[in-house]
Amino acid sequence: MREANSAIGITSLVQRAQAGDRAAFEQIYHENVGRVYAICLRILANADRAQEMTQAVFVRAWEMLGGFRGDSAFSSWLYRLAVNVVLVDLRAKKRRTARVMVTDDLSVYDRGEATPAPGSTIDLERAMAQLPEQARTVFVLYDIEGYQHQEIAALLGVAEGTSKAQLHRARRLLREILER
Amino acid sequence: MNCDYKNFLQDFFDGVLAAAEHAAVEQHLAACDACRQELQFLQTLRGQVSQLPASIAPPRNLWPEIAARLEPKKSLWQTWLTDLRQHKNGAAESLQDLFKRDESKSVPWWSWGLRGAFALAVLIVAVGGIWLFVQTRQASWPVARLAGAPQIDAINFADAGQLQVGEWLETDDSSRAKISIGMIGTVEIAPQTRIRLVKADLMDHRLALARGKLHAEIWAPPRIFFVETASALAVDLGCEYTLEMNDEGFGFLHVMKGYVALESKKGPESVVPAGALCEIRPNLGAGTPYSENASENLRTALAHCDLASDRSDAVSTVLSEAREADTFTLWHLLFRVDPTERPRVYDRMTELISPPAGVTRAGILQGDRRMLELWADKFGLGQSWWRYWLPL
């Protein structure tokens, strides 16, 4: 019942936001910003860029709200949009710089904990941040976000086999990093 | 980790291996410490991933900056009007640009000639475009809805639709559809299938199966109907067959009548006769085909052979399990096993079906094509007439 109420609540918020109600959209922002930021941060491994992209995702969502017809859950629509916005930016950046980005600030994963316990999720977040960009992106999309290789391949503009190879590479590298 | 199975371990972990391969890796795990450790790591990793928080709070409130960038919403009418104005202005500007200079100058004779040539070029392009459009419109196949609500390019159609070149036909878990392949046959599309019409030429009828299952009945000469998949190309040699593929590029071919050739850049070609099956794998292309009545031991051992060419124990199992009806499997295996194993495969083949006159041991072991074809004719890979169509 609570879930149903929550679904009705988000539908009503979305309808109000579609009609131009900023207060409703602000509420949508507060309810989803953590999830969107997590997606951006895990793919980009850079806190500043993740914040920029989170902003870009919500601006884009506002622009595209009219196209949301309720065929899927709004949250799914928003998180897919987040992935698209981040990947489009990555591709554009790659074209501009033509070099691989490596994170420079692993403290973004500390989240206020004093000393992370070995084997904790903090270790995993830090290890993921050290992966090469494409391997990390595929790992986040496949193992965390639940995308299929076919979807990832289409999003990244690569062959399905490449997506799979990058996933295998990411897992192998994670083992090396975590067992170091 | 230097183990032949390392490339398959992650697929095993992700649960995307076919049953026989799954069983082969499972068997291997019992004997390989390194693979067991790798699998244990993957399981631990999955556990840690499931513990990751779904949300991470950003270090500051991003809303004020977002709010400052939000444009007020326009009504549809306003949006359309703005677009129209921009389009109209843009068009007017470009036209003005085109003729602006001429207003202030006298027009040289060649300029009119140039304009005439330009107009002619535009006319040719326009006529060509219309012709191409008409041709493309014709390059389509009728689709009949058999159940549920199949879609062409994400749009539902009533009882009959038309699949154009480049369009996708997709069925959900309760939909089925039937495509008429020009004048040469039909393809029935099972639920949960995604397929695209690639070509509808007279001599090249081509579909691309992204995932799902199809059943094809073709009555055309060989090499006119093709199905592309992520891992292999199925070439019709006049037949009836079922082809199934998953999202990972693993698949399965079952031939009911005639023959199908499976070609791939990733591995050797397989010719699959009626009553036989063939597995398709993303890293290897077509596997070694086998009879639908082949023993379970033979199938599992064959999967071992396909995954690693130097598996002497697996080759032994295949050879001991093979019956006369499995000779075509050994024929395919000849050039898939390690060269040192080849004589053993040949010897077992001769025990099952003696080679015809003109076929020698040395010739077969050296891969003499004529001798291989002569022998194949004898054990049921059909008469070699169809193989002349193949670019072997």
Side-chain angles (χ1 to χ4, degrees), chain A:
Chain A
M1 181 59 113
R2 201 171 158 185
E3 271 181 19
N5 284 340
S6 151
I8 292 165
I10 190 71
T11 306
S12 150
L13 276 178
V14 171
Q15 283 169 350
R16 281 168 50 205
Q18 282 175 323
D21 184 339
R22 281 169 180 248
F25 191 63
E26 184 177 358
Q27 208 172 325
I28 291 174
Y29 161 81
H30 285 299
E31 284 180 14
N32 293 282
V33 64
R35 185 82 174 82
V36 169
Y37 180 68
I39 292 170
C40 297
L41 182 61
R42 283 175 182 145
I43 295 178
L44 296 167
N46 179 300
D48 290 338
R49 290 195 64 219
Q51 289 170 60
E52 279 172 34
M53 279 303 105
T54 303
Q55 291 179 18
V57 169
F58 281 98
V59 172
R60 192 84 184 106
W62 174 257
E63 289 166 357
M64 294 183 66
L65 263 179
F68 174 70
R69 304 200 186 287
D71 299 334
S72 59
F74 176 74
S75 54
S76 309
W77 178 84
L78 182 65
Y79 306 150
R80 281 190 171 262
L81 180 70
V83 168
N84 281 339
V85 169
V86 174
L87 295 184
V88 166
D89 183 71
L90 271 182
R91 276 204 294 271
K93 186 172 184 286
K94 198 172 273 178
R95 279 199 296 274
R96 286 195 300 271
T97 61
R99 66 187 167 84
V100 174
M101 186 200 74
V102 176
T103 182
D104 50 2
D105 180 14
L106 299 182
S107 66
V108 296
Y109 294 103
D110 285 351
R111 295 202 296 272
E113 289 183 22
T115 311
S120 70
T121 56
I122 306 293
D123 284 342
L124 178 57
E125 299 267 28
R126 282 169 169 269
M128 275 159 47
Q130 293 175 54
L131 292 175
E133 186 180 278
Q134 199 172 46
R136 181 175 60 242
T137 303
V138 174
F139 179 79
V140 170
L141 294 180
Y142 188 91
D143 270 355
I144 301 179
E145 297 298 327
Y147 281 67
Q148 296 299 308
H149 283 299
Q150 194 189 19
E151 298 172 285
I152 298 170
L155 282 168
L156 297 179
V158 297
E160 269 185 70
T162 307
S163 169
K164 202 172 195 178
Q166 290 291 353
L167 175 68
H168 292 187
R169 182 179 174 218
R171 287 167 173 173
R172 268 202 302 274
L173 288 171
L174 281 174
R175 186 178 182 187
E176 284 173 27
I177 297 166
L178 289 167
E179 291 181 353
R180 213 178 271 162

Side-chain angles (χ1 to χ4, degrees), chain B residues 198-210:
Chain B
V198 179
K199 262 188 185 176
D201 295 349
L202 188 64
M203 296 303 286
D204 190 345
H205 298 66
R206 192 174 290 251
L207 291 167
L209 178 64

